[in-house]
Amino acid sequence: MMTAAADPVVLADDALSRGDNLEAYDIAVSAQSDGQHTPRLAYIATLALARMGDTSMALDYYDRAGLGDIDDDDILALWGRLKKDLAEKASAKDQAELFAEASRAYREVYENRESYYTGINAATTALLAGDRASAEELAMKILDDPEVAKPTGFYATATAAEANILLGRGEDALETISAAVRWSDASVGSKASTFRQMMLIAKIVPDMAEI
């Protein structure tokens, strides 16, 4: 009987949290080759590919694994992440529409089952698409989320920081991101993902760079 320590999902998730995306991918793919075809393993493999910058392969993997048919917020939100990655690499004339597609994907998941993760991503990609009004409306709603208003870990605190950035509240953003990195669950992978998002905002929306 497989022990919890040998569970490939646990091992692959641990690799992701350490920022070792290649190891996470290898574990997930090897487990699937051994006949363990679970949505979570396919999700991990796809996310690892995305984090390594191979967006086209990640999109293909997502489609082949049928992840779009799985009723899971993390898995469905990954489609928005992949669209956002495409937008980052696109030409200037195509970026806004791709960011808008990403925002719609995130928002669809958010409106089905509200969570601050999908909400903040819908808000940020709306801003990157040029829809500041929708970004600010969502940011305000997210800051009222009890899990964000009284966070108990890194992600909720970092979400508050990002929402404050979208609202132009520089001092509040700095205070909350400083608090976020002090949480015990602030792993290398989670911090890298958050700071990458903030750098993207600064790159695409230059007037936010000094916040």
Side-chain angles (χ1 to χ4, degrees):
M1 181 175 177
M2 181 175 286
T3 64
D7 184 340
V9 172
V10 173
L11 296 174
D13 269 329
D14 179 64
L16 280 179
S17 72
R18 290 185 279 105
D20 195 337
N21 299 310
L22 181 57
E23 182 181 348
Y25 175 79
D26 285 343
I27 292 169
V29 171
S30 293
Q32 290 180 98
S33 296
D34 290 339
Q36 298 183 57
H37 298 288
T38 69
R40 184 67 188 178
L41 285 170
Y43 165 80
I44 291 170
T46 306
L47 178 58
L49 286 169
R51 288 184 175 180
M52 289 188 286
D54 198 336
T55 307
S56 60
M57 191 171 176
L59 283 163
D60 181 64
Y61 206 106
Y62 189 99
D63 280 337
R64 286 190 292 107
L67 292 180
D69 297 325
I70 306 298
D71 185 22
D72 179 278
D73 288 354
D74 285 344
I75 291 173
L76 294 174
L78 182 55
W79 184 250
R81 155 71 190 258
L82 297 176
K83 286 289 185 178
K84 182 180 70 175
D85 289 349
L86 278 181
E88 287 185 59
K89 298 173 182 179
S91 63
K93 67 181 180 65
D94 295 327
Q95 274 192 327
E97 179 53 35
L98 285 168
F99 279 127
E101 287 182 22
S103 185
R104 287 192 292 270
Y106 280 123
R107 187 150 193 165
E108 184 177 349
V109 180
Y110 178 70
E111 290 179 349
N112 183 46
R113 278 189 296 271
E114 290 189 5
S115 76
Y116 62 79
Y117 171 75
T118 51
I120 194 61
N121 279 290
T124 295
T125 46
L127 176 73
L128 297 174
D131 187 355
R132 187 164 295 202
S134 292
E136 292 180 350
E137 174 237 329
L138 276 168
M140 290 293 294
K141 192 172 181 180
I142 290 159
L143 286 174
D144 287 337
D145 185 317
E147 290 186 77
V148 176
K150 294 184 178 180
T152 58
F154 173 81
Y155 279 112
T157 312
T159 294
E162 193 169 335
N164 279 309
I165 288 174
L166 300 183
L167 293 167
R169 302 172 179 174
E171 289 187 10
D172 290 338
L174 180 60
E175 180 181 340
T176 46
I177 198 61
S178 297
V181 298
R182 292 196 293 270
W183 285 104
S184 60
D185 63 337
S187 67
V188 172
S190 59
K191 286 187 287 187
S193 179
T194 296
F195 286 117
R196 175 177 172 274
Q197 182 100 319
M198 293 181 178
M199 291 299 292
L200 178 61
I201 294 171
K203 177 183 176 183
I204 304 296
V205 190
D207 66 315
M208 307 289 263
E210 295 183 4
I211 293 175

